[in-house]
Amino acid sequence: MSRARAWAILRAVRFALPYALVGFGLLLAPPAARAEPPPVIVALVLDTSGSLLPTDVETASALASGILRALPLGSEACVFAFADESKLLLERTADAALLEQAISTLRPTGQRTALYDALFDASRHLQGTRAARRAIVLLTDGRDEGSALSVEDGLRLAQEAGIPVFGVGVGKVQEKVLRRVAKLTSGEYVPVGEATGQSLASRILATPVSPPPPPPPSVAPASSPSASTTAPTRPPAEASPRSRVLVPAVLFALAGLIVAGLLLGLRGRREKPGLVPLPPERPTGRPAAPAPRKGKPPSTEDDAPPETVFSRMELGVETVERTVFLREEASLEVTSGSARGRVFPLSSASATSLGRARANDVVIEDEAISGQHLRIRPEEGRFVLHDLGSTNGTKVNDRKVAKHTLQDGDLIRLGDTALRFRLTQAK
C-alpha cells in the first residue's frame, strides 16, 4: 500500500468516525422514559365582571382552589378570567399553591362580560392536550355582554374535542344558558351553594371517557374468509423506545460508512493516471483569454449581447402611472341630538360600542340611551349592528332591530339621537 493511499484511508476514517460513534451511542443508550400524560386536566374559567359582587368572586375563587386538591395526584389545571375580555392567567400546572396564588388576586372589574369568548378560549386551550380526562369548570352568572363570538363557537370546539363543561352558578344566575352548555357537552350544572371542590372533582372523574377512534379493520387472507368476523382485531402495537432509537442510529452509522467509501473512491480515482486530468499551470500575470468557439468568430466587444436583445428592447415609451389603492372607510354622522354635526369613524378591525357610559368607544350624552346601548362589529367585510338589550331599543330606517347589516345611508335612531351610516372611498 502506498503512503498516499494510507493517508487517504486515515482521513476517511477520521471523517466517518463521529457519525459511527453517534450511531452506536444511540444503539447502546438506555431507552428514555416515556412521559405519562396527567390523569386530569381542568380549565378553571372565572367570571370577574362588574355584575358580580366581591363576595361572589371570593366564593368562586375558593371553590376553584379546592378542585385541584381533590383531583388525583399529578392532575393539572389552568386559569382563565374574563370581564371585558378573556385572559389566560395561569398556564397548566400541578402546583395547588401556585394556583391559589393566581386566583387569590381576582376582583370584580370591567363593564362587560365576555363569557362566550372565554368558553371558546378554554376549549381551544384544552383541545390539543393529552390526558385521561379533560374538563372545563365555568364559574359565572351566565350573562354575556360584549363577546366577539357566539356561544355556538365555544360549544362546537368542546363537543368536537369531547370536553365536558361543568357550570357553577354564582350571583344572580341565568341558569338557562349554563344548563344548555353543560347538557350539550355531557357536563353538569351545579348552583354554587351545592358545590364543593370534592364534589366537583368527583363529578369530573365520574364523566365517561370518550373512547378512542377504532383501528382500521384488518383484511383477512383469501384462504380464510371468516377470519375477519371471528378473530377480534387488535390495535397495532406502539413502537417501543428502543425501536424508535434504532432507525436514527442505523442511519448515522450508514452515513459514516458511505462518506468514508466516497472519500476512498475519489482518492483512488485521482491517483490513477489519465482519469482526472489536472489543468495545466499558467504563468502569473494576465490570465489567458478563453479560446473562441469553433465556427464562430470572437466578439469584438466584451460580453456584447446578441442583436435580438436590442430588437426586443426597442419598444415604444409608455408612461406608467402609479396605481392608487382605494379602501372603504365607515363612519357615523350625528344628524340630530345633542351631538349633532359630529362624525365618529368606525374601526374595520375591532368592534365599536355606543352608549352613555364612559367606557364606550362612542359616548353620547342622551338620557334615553342605555349605558351599553349597541355595538357595531366588522364581520366578513360588512359592518353589523348588534343591540345590547337596551331599554328603549334601536331602530334602523324606522324599524326596530336587534341585529342588522348596515348599508351606506342607513339612519340609526337610539333615544333622541339619530346617526347616519356612511361608507366612503379613501386613498
Side-chain angles (χ1 to χ4, degrees), residues 151-415:
V151 66
E152 306 300 333
D153 298 322
L155 273 175
R156 184 174 62 254
L157 276 184
Q159 289 171 334
E160 291 175 354
I163 303 173
V165 179
F166 294 84
V168 180
V170 183
K172 297 180 180 180
V173 187
Q174 294 185 0
E175 292 189 357
K176 183 178 180 180
V177 175
L178 295 179
R179 289 184 183 276
R180 177 171 180 262
V181 171
K183 190 173 185 64
L184 291 178
T185 58
S186 302
E188 293 185 48
Y189 167 75
V190 185
V192 70
E194 303 175 9
T196 63
Q198 182 64 48
S199 64
L200 283 173
S202 300
R203 293 171 190 266
I204 293 172
L205 294 175
T207 305
V209 180
S210 300
S218 58
V219 180
S223 60
S224 57
S226 62
S228 60
T229 57
T230 58
T233 59
R234 296 181 61 186
E238 187 177 358
S240 64
R242 176 69 67 184
S243 63
R244 290 196 297 268
V245 172
L246 180 61
V247 175
V250 172
L251 290 178
F252 267 105
L254 287 178
L257 295 176
I258 291 172
V259 171
L262 290 176
L263 289 177
L264 288 174
L266 290 176
R267 184 68 181 181
R269 290 187 62 187
R270 290 195 177 189
E271 288 181 354
K272 293 181 181 181
L275 292 180
V276 185
L278 297 177
E281 297 184 358
R282 289 186 299 200
T284 58
R286 184 176 179 180
R293 295 183 180 178
K294 185 176 181 181
K296 183 177 180 181
S299 175
T300 56
E301 298 181 4
D302 294 337
D303 300 329
E307 295 180 358
T308 54
V309 175
F310 292 103
S311 63
R312 291 176 183 173
M313 294 176 60
E314 293 175 359
L315 303 175
V317 178
E318 179 182 357
T319 303
V320 181
E321 297 182 354
R322 182 165 59 99
T323 302
V324 178
F325 177 75
L326 298 178
R327 67 176 185 275
E328 285 187 338
E329 291 187 349
S331 61
L332 295 176
E333 178 185 357
V334 183
T335 59
S336 66
S338 59
R340 182 177 180 180
R342 297 188 62 183
V343 177
F344 301 99
L346 298 178
S347 172
S348 60
S350 60
T352 304
S353 60
L354 287 81
R356 199 174 69 253
R358 296 296 177 185
N360 290 285
D361 301 311
V362 177
V363 180
I364 301 178
E365 299 291 345
D366 186 341
E367 294 182 353
I369 296 177
S370 299
Q372 300 286 334
H373 197 99
L374 64 87
R375 180 172 291 105
I376 298 176
R377 186 168 58 198
E379 299 178 6
E380 300 179 354
R382 311 294 293 273
F383 288 86
V384 182
L385 181 147
H386 298 267
D387 185 86
L388 300 179
S390 58
T391 303
N392 295 320
T394 302
K395 291 184 178 181
V396 178
N397 300 329
D398 295 328
R399 184 172 62 90
K400 192 171 183 179
V401 298
K403 178 181 179 181
H404 179 78
T405 302
L406 295 172
Q407 305 289 336
D408 184 28
D410 282 352
L411 185 64
I412 306 170
R413 293 188 180 275
L414 52 158

Side-chain angles (χ1 to χ4, degrees), residues 69 79 90-103:
R69 294 185 180 276
V79 180
L90 184 64
E91 291 281 358
R92 289 166 41 196
T93 179
D95 190 343
L98 188 61
L99 184 69
E100 290 180 1
Q101 182 181 358
I103 295 177

